[in-house]
Amino acid sequence: AVSPKRAEVLDRNLNTLAMSAVVDSCFAVPTEIADTKMVAGLLGGVLDLPTGEIESRLASSRSFVWIARKLRPETAARIEALNLKGIYFQKEDERFYPKRQLAAALLGYVDIDDKGLGGIEYSLDDRIRSKPGRMLVFADARRHGYQSSDEKPDAGSSVVLTIDENIQFIAEKELAAAIEQTHAPAGTVVVQNPSNGQILAMANW
């Protein structure tokens, strides 16, 4: 299955609040690895993972096993520099929030497979994520590909919120200050346009 890139979530002025970027994920073809203990040791040192955990994955009878997904560029480069037989990379999308924690409770979050689990990411997941595509690869006994076909994924639709990132920032800042001053256990600020009911900011503590 080929996952489509999640579409962006924007504020009312088209400032990006959530976006996806391409990163490398590392996988192994166990049948191509002769010395699993050595390979596991080298990968464990780079990924800071127990050697035994990686070695058990490499001992799998499957033709494909994940080693580590959605790596930092420097980590992927270190693994690539090892030039290990049977270790490969695949491009995947990772979700980023350029404004960091701004409107975090409102936007929500996604899991490792880019499925929405909270907030807007969850409630509008079908629209933002859309339908995955498929790739079929034929290979000979030596695992050399000789034919492939693919069905491209349907791109998701970007979502424009009524939120204004500047008003959202001020609302969150003032709410935090009020919580600190009053020692309240919780607080909420909603900024609404009274003429049309649009929510311009929604902050929770």
Side-chain angles (χ1 to χ4, degrees), residues 117-170:
L117 295 180
I120 294 294
E121 296 277 29
Y122 171 76
S123 63
L124 297 179
D125 187 61
D126 288 343
R127 179 177 299 181
I128 299 172
R129 193 180 189 208
S130 196
K131 297 178 181 179
R134 298 200 68 81
M135 178 179 291
L136 182 65
V137 179
F138 296 90
D140 62 18
R142 295 181 180 273
R143 298 185 182 279
H144 296 142
Y146 62 87
Q147 182 182 345
S148 67
S149 63
D150 59 40
E151 176 186 335
K152 295 189 180 300
D154 292 332
S157 301
S158 294
V159 173
V160 180
L161 306 179
T162 60
I163 295 296
D164 184 307
E165 70 167 31
N166 294 315
I167 300 175
Q168 179 72 26
F169 175 79
I170 294 169

Side-chain angles (χ1 to χ4, degrees), residues 9-153:
V9 178
L10 313 165
D11 83 340
R12 66 186 302 110
N13 300 310
L14 303 185
N15 296 307
T16 303
L17 300 176
M19 61 181 291
S20 294
V22 178
V23 294
D24 283 309
S25 289
C26 178
F27 71 92
V29 178
T31 54
E32 297 182 5
I33 300 174
D35 190 340
T36 57
K37 189 170 185 177
M38 181 270 291
V39 171
L42 291 172
L43 291 175
V46 174
L47 297 169
D48 196 24
L49 290 174
T51 300
E53 180 181 329
I54 299 177
E55 192 173 358
S56 66
R57 296 182 196 177
L58 298 179
S60 171
S61 59
R62 292 182 295 170
S63 59
F64 176 101
V65 292
W66 285 116
I67 300 299
R69 297 181 64 185
K70 304 189 177 180
L71 299 166
R72 293 181 176 276
E74 58 271 19
T75 303
R78 288 180 63 192
I79 295 175
E80 189 172 16
L82 294 173
N83 196 28
L84 298 170
K85 183 176 175 59
I87 301 298
Y88 302 95
F89 294 94
Q90 178 172 314
K91 299 292 184 184
E92 290 197 282
D93 290 318
E94 184 171 25
R95 203 61 166 163
F96 287 100
Y97 301 92
K99 311 301 180 182
R100 298 181 180 273
Q101 295 300 313
L102 185 73
L106 177 67
L107 293 172
Y109 58 100
V110 301
D111 64 10
I112 189 70
D113 293 311
D114 269 358
K115 182 176 177 62
L117 295 180
I120 294 294
E121 296 277 29
Y122 171 76
S123 63
L124 297 179
D125 187 61
D126 288 343
R127 179 177 299 181
I128 299 172
R129 193 180 189 208
S130 196
K131 297 178 181 179
R134 298 200 68 81
M135 178 179 291
L136 182 65
V137 179
F138 296 90
D140 62 18
R142 295 181 180 273
R143 298 185 182 279
H144 296 142
Y146 62 87
Q147 182 182 345
S148 67
S149 63
D150 59 40
E151 176 186 335
K152 295 189 180 300

